[in-house]
Structures are given as structure tokens and as C-alpha cells.
Amino acid sequence: MMIRLGVVVAMSVLLVGPVEGGVKVKVTPSSLRQGDTGVLVVTGVPDARLIEGSVGERPLIFFPYADGYAALIGVDVAAPAGQTRWRVGWVDGTGNPRKAAGTLRIKSRKFPVQKLSLPGNMVDLDRATEQRADREAAQLNMLYGMVSGERLWRGHFTRPVASTGPGEGFGARRIINGKPRSPHSGLDYSAPTGTPVVAANRGRVALIGDFFFGGRTVAVDHGQGLYTLYMHLDRVQVVEGVLVERGETIGTVGSTGRATGPHLHWGAQLRRARVDPAGLLALPVRD
Ligand SMILES: [Zn+2]
């Protein structure tokens, strides 16, 4: 049997087309930086039966969008800057495999340096506490690896707390008590204890924890490997397994766990990439 491969090669981001059969692949925003979330949209494949792809090592999960298909691209906060490969494959209406491929440029981003002083026992952990923190990190990491197939989120993402300032500190290189630590992978919103915290979009409450670092924590699974994370909560007002809507209260701001004062730490993970939640707020997907 002859298999005909239609190969589309694109050089850069605002891609191709119309190529063979009018297929177009477009990435928005056209320039992705460390920690960004982008959207890859494929159009001109009206009778595609299967569609899959990848950016770098990360598989893409497509959902029907407008008159084509879209998938979110998550660029980890510590992803190396430079060119990375993308690839999309599908089976066309006549049963033939087709593909498109190209490269994307990931730009480096300058992150702030934050110097913090914390009580010594919150930084230099005793053995039992270190084991606890490792266990909790493993638990979260396992959660992020679980990819539920259905996209639960819709339309725009909303800020999870009504605080005055913008969230701060994503990607900050942290120097705690004089020692460099891993980058800060969320946004911190200062707000008084008791301020309501809402789900940024529709999703399922996948985990509720009380962690050494994160304190009282809620993780919301938005489907297809996208999670948002709400930490240092004073109170949690949902239970595991429930579906929450965008804007629904899930708890209140607090300073539980390792926190220097009341604030919400809002994190986001997409297929294990630690992404800037601010990127979700700007996501150009509108359905
Ligand atoms: Zn934080």
C-alpha cells in the first residue's frame, strides 16, 4: 500500500499557508518567551480524523476550535532559549497521514532577583521536614502528570483575587537567607487574610492539601494537562472532585505554609511546564 505524505515545512512562527489543500498553522502570540503560554491553531483540515503534535518534547492535545483545531503550548520558566521544533500530524479525509513541521523561537526573559529573609527553620529543613516537603512535591508532580482528556475551561481566565496590584514575582530567582533557591513559579498577590479566592476558569478540584511550603492548597484541573494552583489559603471552601466554574469561590487568602504575610500564590502548570499565570489571563482563545 502506498502512503502519501504531505509534508509542510514552515520556517517560523506566523506560519505557512495556504499550502497544500489550504492548511494553515499559526502560533499566537507570534513570539514566545520562557514561562509563556501560546496557542497553536490548525485550519484547513475540515475532515481530519486524528490530529496530534508536539512542541519540543511536549505533546500537544488538540481541541476543536473555530473552523479548525487548537492546542495550548506551555513554555517552562526554565526552558532553554533558542529554536525548538514543532510538529503536527493528522489523517485526512481520504485516510492519508499528513504532517506539518517547523521551528519556533523561544526567547529568554529577564527575571527579577528577590532577596528574602526567613526564619532559619523554614529554610534549612530538618530531616523529617525535608522528607515531608519532598513527599509533597512528588504528590504535586504526580498530579501534573495526569492528563484528563476533556477540556473543561472555556473563554477567558479571570484573576483569582480582587487585590489592587498585579501579581508579582513570576520566575524570580530567589535568594533566601543568602542562598540561591529554585525560581518562583507563580504570581503572588498581596491581599488581606479572608479575601475571597476564586477559580480562574472552569475545572475540577483535583487536590486539596496542607503543605509545608504551600500551606493550604487547592489545585484545579482544567483538563488536557492544564492545572492552576492556589496556595497559602486561610480557608478552603471546596472539596476534591467538584466541578467549579470560573469566578466561583474556592477559599480565602491566608498565610499558611511558608509565607511572609497574607497573600495568594497563584501557579499554573501545562503538561508539566511551569507557566506564568499572567499568560493565561491574556490567552487569545475565546470560546
Ligand atoms: Zn509565591
Side-chain angles (χ1 to χ4, degrees), residues 30-43:
S30 59
S31 165
L32 288 170
R33 304 166 307 159
Q34 293 165 325
D36 277 354
T37 301
V39 185
L40 184 146
V41 177
V42 184
T43 51

mmCIF file with all atom_site columns, all heavy atoms in Angstrom, residues 30-43:
data_model
loop_
_atom_site.group_PDB
_atom_site.id
_atom_site.type_symbol
_atom_site.label_atom_id
_atom_site.label_alt_id
_atom_site.label_comp_id
_atom_site.label_asym_id
_atom_site.label_entity_id
_atom_site.label_seq_id
_atom_site.pdbx_PDB_ins_code
_atom_site.Cartn_x
_atom_site.Cartn_y
_atom_site.Cartn_z
_atom_site.occupancy
_atom_site.B_iso_or_equiv
_atom_site.pdbx_formal_charge
_atom_site.auth_seq_id
_atom_site.auth_comp_id
_atom_site.auth_asym_id
_atom_site.auth_atom_id
_atom_site.pdbx_PDB_model_num
ATOM 1  N N   . SER A 1 30 ? 3.002  35.502 18.499 1.00 0.00 ? 30 SER A N   1
ATOM 2  C CA  . SER A 1 30 ? 3.977  35.070 17.491 1.00 0.00 ? 30 SER A CA  1
ATOM 3  C C   . SER A 1 30 ? 5.359  34.932 18.093 1.00 0.00 ? 30 SER A C   1
ATOM 4  O O   . SER A 1 30 ? 6.230  34.309 17.516 1.00 0.00 ? 30 SER A O   1
ATOM 5  C CB  . SER A 1 30 ? 3.998  36.054 16.343 1.00 0.00 ? 30 SER A CB  1
ATOM 6  O OG  . SER A 1 30 ? 4.334  37.327 16.820 1.00 0.00 ? 30 SER A OG  1
ATOM 7  N N   . SER A 1 31 ? 5.560  35.503 19.273 1.00 0.00 ? 31 SER A N   1
ATOM 8  C CA  . SER A 1 31 ? 6.859  35.384 19.905 1.00 0.00 ? 31 SER A CA  1
ATOM 9  C C   . SER A 1 31 ? 6.657  34.845 21.318 1.00 0.00 ? 31 SER A C   1
ATOM 10 O O   . SER A 1 31 ? 5.946  35.445 22.121 1.00 0.00 ? 31 SER A O   1
ATOM 11 C CB  . SER A 1 31 ? 7.483  36.777 19.926 1.00 0.00 ? 31 SER A CB  1
ATOM 12 O OG  . SER A 1 31 ? 8.550  36.811 20.810 1.00 0.00 ? 31 SER A OG  1
ATOM 13 N N   . LEU A 1 32 ? 7.230  33.687 21.603 1.00 0.00 ? 32 LEU A N   1
ATOM 14 C CA  . LEU A 1 32 ? 7.041  33.052 22.910 1.00 0.00 ? 32 LEU A CA  1
ATOM 15 C C   . LEU A 1 32 ? 8.293  33.204 23.757 1.00 0.00 ? 32 LEU A C   1
ATOM 16 O O   . LEU A 1 32 ? 9.410  33.037 23.266 1.00 0.00 ? 32 LEU A O   1
ATOM 17 C CB  . LEU A 1 32 ? 6.738  31.565 22.735 1.00 0.00 ? 32 LEU A CB  1
ATOM 18 C CG  . LEU A 1 32 ? 5.365  31.210 22.175 1.00 0.00 ? 32 LEU A CG  1
ATOM 19 C CD1 . LEU A 1 32 ? 5.302  29.733 21.829 1.00 0.00 ? 32 LEU A CD1 1
ATOM 20 C CD2 . LEU A 1 32 ? 4.273  31.561 23.176 1.00 0.00 ? 32 LEU A CD2 1
ATOM 21 N N   . ARG A 1 33 ? 8.072  33.506 25.032 1.00 0.00 ? 33 ARG A N   1
ATOM 22 C CA  . ARG A 1 33 ? 9.205  33.637 25.954 1.00 0.00 ? 33 ARG A CA  1
ATOM 23 C C   . ARG A 1 33 ? 9.119  32.544 27.025 1.00 0.00 ? 33 ARG A C   1
ATOM 24 O O   . ARG A 1 33 ? 8.084  31.899 27.173 1.00 0.00 ? 33 ARG A O   1
ATOM 25 C CB  . ARG A 1 33 ? 9.168  35.002 26.647 1.00 0.00 ? 33 ARG A CB  1
ATOM 26 C CG  . ARG A 1 33 ? 9.139  36.186 25.722 1.00 0.00 ? 33 ARG A CG  1
ATOM 27 C CD  . ARG A 1 33 ? 8.754  37.432 26.502 1.00 0.00 ? 33 ARG A CD  1
ATOM 28 N NE  . ARG A 1 33 ? 7.520  37.204 27.246 1.00 0.00 ? 33 ARG A NE  1
ATOM 29 C CZ  . ARG A 1 33 ? 7.122  37.912 28.300 1.00 0.00 ? 33 ARG A CZ  1
ATOM 30 N NH1 . ARG A 1 33 ? 7.864  38.895 28.766 1.00 0.00 ? 33 ARG A NH1 1
ATOM 31 N NH2 . ARG A 1 33 ? 5.989  37.642 28.906 1.00 0.00 ? 33 ARG A NH2 1
ATOM 32 N N   . GLN A 1 34 ? 10.182 32.418 27.804 1.00 0.00 ? 34 GLN A N   1
ATOM 33 C CA  . GLN A 1 34 ? 10.175 31.476 28.922 1.00 0.00 ? 34 GLN A CA  1
ATOM 34 C C   . GLN A 1 34 ? 8.966  31.778 29.811 1.00 0.00 ? 34 GLN A C   1
ATOM 35 O O   . GLN A 1 34 ? 8.732  32.928 30.173 1.00 0.00 ? 34 GLN A O   1
ATOM 36 C CB  . GLN A 1 34 ? 11.459 31.628 29.739 1.00 0.00 ? 34 GLN A CB  1
ATOM 37 C CG  . GLN A 1 34 ? 12.689 31.192 28.965 1.00 0.00 ? 34 GLN A CG  1
ATOM 38 C CD  . GLN A 1 34 ? 13.970 31.668 29.613 1.00 0.00 ? 34 GLN A CD  1
ATOM 39 O OE1 . GLN A 1 34 ? 14.040 32.750 30.184 1.00 0.00 ? 34 GLN A OE1 1
ATOM 40 N NE2 . GLN A 1 34 ? 15.013 30.850 29.511 1.00 0.00 ? 34 GLN A NE2 1
ATOM 41 N N   . GLY A 1 35 ? 8.199  30.758 30.139 1.00 0.00 ? 35 GLY A N   1
ATOM 42 C CA  . GLY A 1 35 ? 7.030  30.924 31.006 1.00 0.00 ? 35 GLY A CA  1
ATOM 43 C C   . GLY A 1 35 ? 5.751  31.295 30.281 1.00 0.00 ? 35 GLY A C   1
ATOM 44 O O   . GLY A 1 35 ? 4.698  31.375 30.899 1.00 0.00 ? 35 GLY A O   1
ATOM 45 N N   . ASP A 1 36 ? 5.821  31.501 28.953 1.00 0.00 ? 36 ASP A N   1
ATOM 46 C CA  . ASP A 1 36 ? 4.629  31.907 28.215 1.00 0.00 ? 36 ASP A CA  1
ATOM 47 C C   . ASP A 1 36 ? 3.727  30.711 27.877 1.00 0.00 ? 36 ASP A C   1
ATOM 48 O O   . ASP A 1 36 ? 4.181  29.572 27.794 1.00 0.00 ? 36 ASP A O   1
ATOM 49 C CB  . ASP A 1 36 ? 5.015  32.588 26.885 1.00 0.00 ? 36 ASP A CB  1
ATOM 50 C CG  . ASP A 1 36 ? 5.357  34.065 27.079 1.00 0.00 ? 36 ASP A CG  1
ATOM 51 O OD1 . ASP A 1 36 ? 5.184  34.574 28.207 1.00 0.00 ? 36 ASP A OD1 1
ATOM 52 O OD2 . ASP A 1 36 ? 5.807  34.694 26.101 1.00 0.00 ? 36 ASP A OD2 1
ATOM 53 N N   . THR A 1 37 ? 2.454  31.043 27.653 1.00 0.00 ? 37 THR A N   1
ATOM 54 C CA  . THR A 1 37 ? 1.514  30.063 27.123 1.00 0.00 ? 37 THR A CA  1
ATOM 55 C C   . THR A 1 37 ? 1.065  30.568 25.756 1.00 0.00 ? 37 THR A C   1
ATOM 56 O O   . THR A 1 37 ? 0.648  31.715 25.636 1.00 0.00 ? 37 THR A O   1
ATOM 57 C CB  . THR A 1 37 ? 0.286  29.931 28.039 1.00 0.00 ? 37 THR A CB  1
ATOM 58 O OG1 . THR A 1 37 ? 0.742  29.539 29.335 1.00 0.00 ? 37 THR A OG1 1
ATOM 59 C CG2 . THR A 1 37 ? -0.679 28.881 27.526 1.00 0.00 ? 37 THR A CG2 1
ATOM 60 N N   . GLY A 1 38 ? 1.171  29.727 24.762 1.00 0.00 ? 38 GLY A N   1
ATOM 61 C CA  . GLY A 1 38 ? 0.744  30.103 23.419 1.00 0.00 ? 38 GLY A CA  1
ATOM 62 C C   . GLY A 1 38 ? -0.365 29.176 22.943 1.00 0.00 ? 38 GLY A C   1
ATOM 63 O O   . GLY A 1 38 ? -0.708 28.197 23.602 1.00 0.00 ? 38 GLY A O   1
ATOM 64 N N   . VAL A 1 39 ? -0.922 29.532 21.803 1.00 0.00 ? 39 VAL A N   1
ATOM 65 C CA  . VAL A 1 39 ? -1.955 28.702 21.190 1.00 0.00 ? 39 VAL A CA  1
ATOM 66 C C   . VAL A 1 39 ? -1.528 28.388 19.763 1.00 0.00 ? 39 VAL A C   1
ATOM 67 O O   . VAL A 1 39 ? -1.168 29.295 19.010 1.00 0.00 ? 39 VAL A O   1
ATOM 68 C CB  . VAL A 1 39 ? -3.318 29.429 21.146 1.00 0.00 ? 39 VAL A CB  1
ATOM 69 C CG1 . VAL A 1 39 ? -4.398 28.489 20.627 1.00 0.00 ? 39 VAL A CG1 1
ATOM 70 C CG2 . VAL A 1 39 ? -3.698 29.966 22.501 1.00 0.00 ? 39 VAL A CG2 1
ATOM 71 N N   . LEU A 1 40 ? -1.550 27.122 19.431 1.00 0.00 ? 40 LEU A N   1
ATOM 72 C CA  . LEU A 1 40 ? -1.246 26.714 18.055 1.00 0.00 ? 40 LEU A CA  1
ATOM 73 C C   . LEU A 1 40 ? -2.575 26.330 17.402 1.00 0.00 ? 40 LEU A C   1
ATOM 74 O O   . LEU A 1 40 ? -3.303 25.496 17.929 1.00 0.00 ? 40 LEU A O   1
ATOM 75 C CB  . LEU A 1 40 ? -0.268 25.535 18.079 1.00 0.00 ? 40 LEU A CB  1
ATOM 76 C CG  . LEU A 1 40 ? 0.252  25.032 16.739 1.00 0.00 ? 40 LEU A CG  1
ATOM 77 C CD1 . LEU A 1 40 ? 1.692  24.538 16.885 1.00 0.00 ? 40 LEU A CD1 1
ATOM 78 C CD2 . LEU A 1 40 ? -0.600 23.922 16.181 1.00 0.00 ? 40 LEU A CD2 1
ATOM 79 N N   . VAL A 1 41 ? -2.897 26.997 16.296 1.00 0.00 ? 41 VAL A N   1
ATOM 80 C CA  . VAL A 1 41 ? -4.186 26.765 15.629 1.00 0.00 ? 41 VAL A CA  1
ATOM 81 C C   . VAL A 1 41 ? -3.932 26.192 14.236 1.00 0.00 ? 41 VAL A C   1
ATOM 82 O O   . VAL A 1 41 ? -3.101 26.718 13.490 1.00 0.00 ? 41 VAL A O   1
ATOM 83 C CB  . VAL A 1 41 ? -5.008 28.074 15.531 1.00 0.00 ? 41 VAL A CB  1
ATOM 84 C CG1 . VAL A 1 41 ? -6.311 27.844 14.766 1.00 0.00 ? 41 VAL A CG1 1
ATOM 85 C CG2 . VAL A 1 41 ? -5.324 28.616 16.925 1.00 0.00 ? 41 VAL A CG2 1
ATOM 86 N N   . VAL A 1 42 ? -4.618 25.120 13.940 1.00 0.00 ? 42 VAL A N   1
ATOM 87 C CA  . VAL A 1 42 ? -4.513 24.500 12.614 1.00 0.00 ? 42 VAL A CA  1
ATOM 88 C C   . VAL A 1 42 ? -5.853 24.681 11.910 1.00 0.00 ? 42 VAL A C   1
ATOM 89 O O   . VAL A 1 42 ? -6.890 24.319 12.463 1.00 0.00 ? 42 VAL A O   1
ATOM 90 C CB  . VAL A 1 42 ? -4.208 22.984 12.718 1.00 0.00 ? 42 VAL A CB  1
ATOM 91 C CG1 . VAL A 1 42 ? -4.004 22.377 11.336 1.00 0.00 ? 42 VAL A CG1 1
ATOM 92 C CG2 . VAL A 1 42 ? -2.985 22.739 13.589 1.00 0.00 ? 42 VAL A CG2 1
ATOM 93 N N   . THR A 1 43 ? -5.828 25.257 10.729 1.00 0.00 ? 43 THR A N   1
ATOM 94 C CA  . THR A 1 43 ? -7.070 25.392 9.948  1.00 0.00 ? 43 THR A CA  1
ATOM 95 C C   . THR A 1 43 ? -6.859 24.797 8.557  1.00 0.00 ? 43 THR A C   1
ATOM 96 O O   . THR A 1 43 ? -5.715 24.549 8.147  1.00 0.00 ? 43 THR A O   1
ATOM 97 C CB  . THR A 1 43 ? -7.508 26.868 9.804  1.00 0.00 ? 43 THR A CB  1
ATOM 98 O OG1 . THR A 1 43 ? -6.396 27.628 9.340  1.00 0.00 ? 43 THR A OG1 1
ATOM 99 C CG2 . THR A 1 43 ? -7.997 27.446 11.118 1.00 0.00 ? 43 THR A CG2 1
#
